[in-house]
Amino acid sequence: MSCLKISILLSLFLFVVTPSTAQEDLMNLLTDQDEEVEIVPSSFKGTKIINGHSTKTKNKGELDFLIYHRFGPINSGIQEFFGLDQANIRLGLEYGIIDVLDVGIGRSSFEKTYDGYIKWKFMRQKKGASNFPLSMVWLTSMAIGTNQTAAEISTVERIGYTYELLLSRKFTDRFTFQLMPGMVHLNAVPETVDDNDIYYLGGAFRFKLSPSIALTGEYYYRFNPLVSVQTYDSFGMGIDIETGGHVFQLHITNSRPTFEKGFITDTRDNFWDGDIRFGFNISRTFHMGSHN
Amino acid sequence: MPSQAQKYISVSSEITFFSSAPVEDISAINNEAKSAYDKATGEIVFMVPINKFVFPKSLMQEHFNEKYLHSEEFPSATFRGIISDHEDDSGLAWADGELEIHGVKQHIRVSGDFSSFEQSASLNCKFNVMLADYDIKIPSILFKNIAEEIEITVHIAYELFEN
């Protein structure tokens, strides 16, 4: 009885399968082509991770309006409403000249600083016929403080340059890791014992919790920080939220400035002492014409 | 073999989709789709690489691939079917078969213009797809931007396939 059932099922199964294998053959006509090279997309959603840049560049013709905001330290007490009374803001624009080349400008309340940068993604992570494990970006940025309180400093002395190599790898659909070796050159330093060239190595990650929400973190280790003033390595943890044309990044960090020269050489707060600031980055993307 | 000589393969293709919603109309074009047709059996197959749909805005394209169609997990949409009720090598034809999008298979029946000649063939058709049928979810924050039903237009030119 059961044997009969099985043989009926089996013959039904064979009957169903046979015509579909013929179609597999027809489908094979379509798949016998060469494997294509595929660029691994979206290692990061924001052009910044927290304070530092990510290997993300805007597509050609995309213009981002950027608002970076850092409050005061949480441990400043109820009198300062746990830091929310204080505001440090940077307003900026970033534009994709081509898919792999961005320029950006910004103005920060921190030391009334103007900054500008160029980001060039010279290698993109690829898979398929041609494989490349990393995305590689070169960043050159320049920042100039215009605060009038220290009038004896000349304009040239207020300038700092940053040269950074960004290496990122999207290991899985969810996890991206990034390393950022770099150097900040300060035209002037507080004391002669301080180095003008400050070398650093940053590390950052992004871990996707859902299609639109990700956990992020970054840390910048300095090899030769300023010695005449007490400064600390910049650290931050955050959450990225992506909707249509916006990326919202909410985070906690010990850095007040959001440009390289500032947060790498001049972070005055120690995260581990509780000098933690709440902050957010908001970006809005505008399309300047079609991307084709 | 005579059956071999009756297979046709696509030489050019254009697949577009169109979504009409209160906030905006969205359309995308894909020229990388492939199709094959076996005249002897009436079988017809399609393979459409999802990440080759080109949108007017690059962010739309990114979201289409990452959030709605999950093209890294489901790189292609496919159709395997049979052309039945074909009116005399020219004019109206019906195709029955399984359309797979986003990893979900649905049986569909589509009508279109199909013509086949000795050396070539062509296909033009238009049909609608309900996103919900293929488990494609639109986040509620965007629901006004995207229609629940998408119109798909297919134009394929075939040539006789020779080994």
Side-chain angles (χ1 to χ4, degrees):
Chain A
M1 190 65 183
S2 65
C3 257
L4 184 65
K5 266 186 188 166
I6 287 167
S7 62
I8 289 170
L9 276 175
L10 202 61
S11 60
L12 272 175
F13 181 70
L14 287 173
F15 182 74
V16 172
V17 163
T18 316
S20 86
T21 29
Q23 278 194 356
E24 287 295 345
D25 290 342
L26 204 56
M27 200 61 111
N28 285 345
L29 289 183
L30 309 183
T31 50
D32 280 345
Q33 316 290 328
D34 292 335
E35 200 185 359
E36 284 183 41
V37 178
E38 193 189 328
I39 290 166
V40 176
S42 297
S43 301
F44 293 97
K45 280 298 177 181
T47 51
K48 287 266 193 172
I49 295 169
I50 290 164
N51 296 308
H53 281 276
S54 73
T55 52
K56 161 96 179 171
T57 50
K58 301 308 294 179
N59 289 313
K60 183 184 173 184
E62 282 180 355
L63 178 71
D64 263 14
F65 176 53
L66 304 157
I67 303 164
Y68 305 151
H69 193 112
R70 303 291 179 271
F71 291 101
I74 291 167
N75 63 359
S76 55
I78 185 71
Q79 178 66 27
E80 292 291 321
F81 204 56
F82 305 101
L84 299 189
D85 282 353
Q86 300 172 29
N88 297 278
I89 195 162
R90 179 184 181 277
L91 298 175
L93 293 170
E94 180 161 341
Y95 180 70
I97 296 171
I98 51 174
D99 283 355
V100 294
L101 184 68
D102 282 12
V103 290
I105 50 165
R107 202 275 188 184
S108 300
S109 59
F110 181 86
E111 292 177 354
K112 303 190 187 298
T113 302
Y114 293 85
D115 70 280
Y117 55 86
I118 295 175
K119 249 172 112 169
W120 176 37
K121 191 185 273 191
F122 58 94
M123 283 304 288
R124 294 203 266 193
Q125 189 179 338
K126 288 176 198 144
K127 62 184 185 186
S130 144
N131 219 310
F132 194 77
L134 296 171
S135 286
M136 300 167 84
V137 168
W138 182 260
L139 172 78
T140 299
S141 75
M142 178 180 151
I144 177 164
T146 63
N147 214 343
Q148 289 303 314
T149 51
E152 72 277 12
I153 304 172
S154 73
T155 305
V156 172
E157 285 173 321
R158 297 165 188 271
I159 300 174
Y161 301 91
T162 306
Y163 308 97
E164 185 176 284
L165 178 66
L166 297 93
L167 310 166
S168 80
R169 174 162 172 79
K170 192 176 183 181
F171 284 92
T172 69
D173 182 43
R174 296 188 149 204
F175 181 69
T176 306
F177 187 73
Q178 180 179 294
L179 281 175
M180 308 81 93
M183 183 263 270
V184 176
H185 174 81
L186 300 170
N187 276 0
V189 287
E191 303 288 342
T192 49
V193 289
D194 295 319
D195 291 329
N196 284 84
D197 294 341
I198 293 167
Y199 293 90
Y200 62 91
L201 175 65
F205 75 91
R206 168 177 178 260
F207 183 80
K208 245 164 77 174
L209 301 171
S210 80
S212 299
I213 298 175
L215 202 65
T216 56
E218 67 175 24
Y219 179 75
Y220 286 81
Y221 175 78
R222 284 109 22 102
F223 295 98
N224 55 337
L226 297 176
V227 289
S228 65
V229 283
Q230 179 70 61
T231 57
Y232 297 90
D233 291 342
S234 177
F235 175 75
M237 295 283 288
I239 286 179
D240 278 12
I241 303 163
E242 197 205 14
T243 67
H246 290 99
V247 179
F248 297 95
Q249 299 177 309
L250 312 175
H251 34 247
I252 47 171
T253 172
N254 58 335
S255 295
R256 200 145 72 87
T258 53
F259 51 92
E260 285 71 30
K261 172 190 168 248
F263 73 81
I264 289 164
T265 67
D266 204 9
T267 290
R268 304 290 182 105
D269 297 322
N270 185 348
F271 192 89
W272 313 109
D273 278 351
D275 301 331
I276 297 166
R277 295 159 188 279
F278 174 65
F280 57 82
N281 299 344
I282 297 174
S283 75
R284 168 74 207 180
T285 301
F286 298 95
H287 291 266
M288 315 298 279
S290 166
H291 82 293
N292 302 319
Chain B
M1 290 293 290
S3 76
Q4 187 64 49
Q6 284 178 300
K7 282 178 184 166
Y8 294 79
I9 193 156
S10 58
V11 284
S12 76
S13 69
E14 182 183 276
I15 295 188
T16 57
F17 85 70
F18 181 69
S19 148
S20 181
V23 175
E24 58 185 335
D25 290 343
I26 297 171
S27 64
I29 300 183
N30 191 328
N31 293 112
E32 307 279 335
K34 290 175 190 147
S35 176
Y37 168 64
D38 188 338
K39 197 173 188 177
T41 60
E43 287 160 22
I44 186 160
V45 294
F46 285 84
M47 182 171 286
V48 184
I50 295 295
N51 65 2
K52 294 295 195 293
F53 276 100
V54 177
F55 287 71
K57 292 182 182 177
S58 48
L59 257 185
M60 281 180 182
Q61 194 163 331
E62 202 173 301
H63 292 156
F64 172 79
N65 282 293
E66 287 175 18
K67 295 194 174 164
Y68 310 136
L69 273 290
H70 305 109
S71 62
E72 281 203 59
E73 199 179 342
F74 309 110
S76 303
T78 58
F79 176 80
R80 298 158 196 270
I82 300 226
I83 290 189
S84 53
D85 311 332
H86 187 201
E87 289 174 0
D88 296 317
D89 288 356
S90 162
L92 186 71
W94 290 87
D96 271 288
E98 271 195 336
L99 178 62
E100 181 175 347
I101 305 174
H102 192 230
V104 180
K105 284 181 188 169
Q106 294 286 351
H107 185 267
I108 61 164
R109 183 169 161 83
V110 176
S111 70
D113 280 323
F114 186 78
S115 329
S116 74
F117 308 99
E118 217 161 277
Q119 291 297 319
S120 66
S122 72
L123 170 68
N124 297 299
C125 74
K126 193 179 269 192
F127 59 100
N128 289 338
V129 161
M130 295 291 291
L131 293 185
D133 289 348
Y134 297 90
D135 199 22
I136 298 165
K137 297 190 183 82
I138 303 300
S140 55
I141 200 165
L142 294 173
F143 72 101
K144 287 193 182 77
N145 287 23
I146 295 159
E148 288 174 6
E149 193 169 22
I150 306 288
E151 186 185 84
I152 313 275
T153 312
V154 180
H155 300 291
I156 311 271
Y158 299 87
E159 270 180 10
L160 195 65
F161 178 74
E162 288 161 59
N163 281 324

